[in-house]
């Protein structure tokens, strides 16, 4: 995975909340009483606070947090689950025909006013690449910004009319925060579909694709006839290929964004 230039990474779309959106938000985590923090997170810890326990059985919680620039990591489908469910229920209850675009739009506008739906999103902070270390040694910056270090997504600088909106950074996917969808200050930018694909790949590398055997398996399969291909019943994202020598190869299908035209929130659900 190579880092993308700004013209390919960012998008000028001004739509509903989406995976990869860059926000001026907040971060927080539970820490020990010594307030230890990795160097790369020091700038994020503006505040420390003790949360008093409800009883004497458990000690107080020590919280560190602050404001920062963050990226949404939740997939787009996770932004509208409750919203879509309520829209579908209202359409059925009111017997609205799905082809009646005006009536469906009216239902969506009505449901969108409900502040209780889909409030939680996950985000990760964007950091100065120079602060990323392993055991006190700075990570090779070329590898880091080239997308070669697991757990980090390189982000190119966004400059508009000579003003830097977001500096060159890396998204630290090791730091994940559940954030109220209405609690961030402002959306700074959206990213392209190509940028989202890089984010999804970076998340997959960190969470589920930690073994480097796929490239070797593909190399060994070159030149062999594929005898059969079928989707795994237990996991529809996995395609199983049976090769001429009797061996099998499992491929993970690339997750994509929802198809255009599917029900989703509108731009007005994004704080300006």
């Amino acid at each position: 995975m190579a880092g993308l230039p700004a013209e390919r990474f960012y998008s000028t779309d001004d739509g509903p909340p989406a995976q990869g959106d860059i926000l001026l938000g907040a971060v927080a985590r539970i820490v020990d009483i010594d307030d230890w923090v990795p160097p790369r997170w020091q700038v994020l810890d503006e505040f420390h606070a003790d949360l008093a326990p409800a009883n004497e059985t458990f000690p107080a919680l020590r919280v560190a947090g602050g404001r920062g620039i963050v990226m949404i990591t939740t997939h787009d489908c996770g932004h509208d689950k409750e919203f879509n469910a309520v829209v579908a229920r209202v359409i059925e209850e009111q017997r609205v025909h799905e082809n009646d675009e005006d009536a469906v739009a009216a239902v969506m506008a009505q449901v969108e006013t409900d502040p209780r739906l889909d409030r939680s999103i996950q985000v990760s902070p964007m950091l100065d690449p120079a602060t990323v270390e392993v055991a006190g040694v700075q990570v090779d910056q070329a590898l880091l910004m080239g997308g070669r270090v697991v757990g980090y997504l390189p982000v190119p600088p966004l400059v508009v009319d000579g003003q830097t909106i977001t500096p060159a950074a890396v998204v630290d996917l090791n730091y994940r925060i559940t954030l109220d969808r209405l609690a961030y200050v402002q959306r700074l930018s959206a990213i392209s579909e190509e940028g989202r694909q890089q984010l999804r790949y970076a998340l997959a590398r960190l969470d589920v694709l930690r073994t480097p055997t796929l490239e070797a398996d593909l190399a060994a399969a070159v030149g062999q006839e594929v005898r059969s291909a079928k989707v795994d019943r237990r996991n529809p994202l996995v395609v199983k290929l049976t090769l001429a020598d009797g061996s099998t190869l499992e491929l993970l299908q690339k997750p994509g964004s929802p198809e255009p035209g599917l029900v989703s929130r509108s731009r007005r659900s994004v704080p300006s």
Side-chain angles (χ1 to χ4, degrees), residues 52-106:
N55 54 59
E56 297 181 355
T57 304
F58 300 101
L61 294 177
R62 181 73 171 164
V63 179
R67 295 287 182 184
I69 300 177
V70 299
M71 176 177 283
I72 295 179
T73 57
T74 307
H75 190 274
D76 291 349
C77 294
H79 297 167
D80 296 316
K81 282 186 177 180
E82 294 178 331
F83 172 78
N84 286 335
V86 175
V87 167
R89 185 174 69 233
V90 173
I91 285 176
E92 182 178 359
E93 291 173 350
Q94 297 184 1
R95 297 182 180 180
V96 173
H97 197 286
E98 293 185 357
N99 293 330
D100 187 339
E101 295 183 0
D102 291 338
V104 171

Side-chain angles (χ1 to χ4, degrees), residues 4-151:
L4 292 174
E7 60 270 19
R8 290 169 54 192
F9 186 83
Y10 291 101
S11 170
T12 57
D13 291 344
D14 192 22
Q19 187 178 37
D21 279 356
I22 297 174
L23 317 174
L24 180 56
V27 298
R29 70 186 194 285
I30 304 299
V31 298
D32 199 9
I33 57 175
D34 64 357
D35 288 333
W36 182 86
V37 56
R40 67 185 188 276
W41 293 349
Q42 287 180 351
V43 70
L44 301 174
D45 291 352
E46 297 178 78
F47 311 103
H48 292 82
D50 290 317
L51 305 182
N55 54 59
E56 297 181 355
T57 304
F58 300 101
L61 294 177
R62 181 73 171 164
V63 179
R67 295 287 182 184
I69 300 177
V70 299
M71 176 177 283
I72 295 179
T73 57
T74 307
H75 190 274
D76 291 349
C77 294
H79 297 167
D80 296 316
K81 282 186 177 180
E82 294 178 331
F83 172 78
N84 286 335
V86 175
V87 167
R89 185 174 69 233
V90 173
I91 285 176
E92 182 178 359
E93 291 173 350
Q94 297 184 1
R95 297 182 180 180
V96 173
H97 197 286
E98 293 185 357
N99 293 330
D100 187 339
E101 295 183 0
D102 291 338
V104 171
V107 170
M108 291 175 60
Q110 172 192 340
V111 175
E112 204 168 43
T113 62
D114 188 339
R116 300 169 298 173
L117 304 179
D118 304 294
R119 287 289 291 263
S120 298
I121 57 174
Q122 285 204 330
V123 301
S124 289
M126 290 170 52
L127 308 176
D128 179 352
T131 64
V132 178
E133 300 179 352
V134 174
V137 178
Q138 186 186 62
V139 171
D140 185 299
Q141 296 295 288
L143 293 178
L144 183 63
M145 298 310 290
R148 303 292 297 277
V149 179
V150 173

Side-chain angles (χ1 to χ4, degrees), residues 199-235:
L199 171 59
R200 291 167 188 151
Y201 180 61
L203 287 165
R205 285 182 69 198
L206 177 61
D207 292 335
V208 297
L209 299 180
R210 299 304 293 268
T211 58
T213 60
L214 180 58
E215 291 183 7
D217 289 343
L218 288 174
V222 171
Q224 291 194 52
E225 178 185 356
V226 177
R227 295 290 177 83
S228 67
K230 61 179 181 180
V231 177
D232 190 292
R233 291 183 178 181
R234 293 171 299 177
N235 186 352

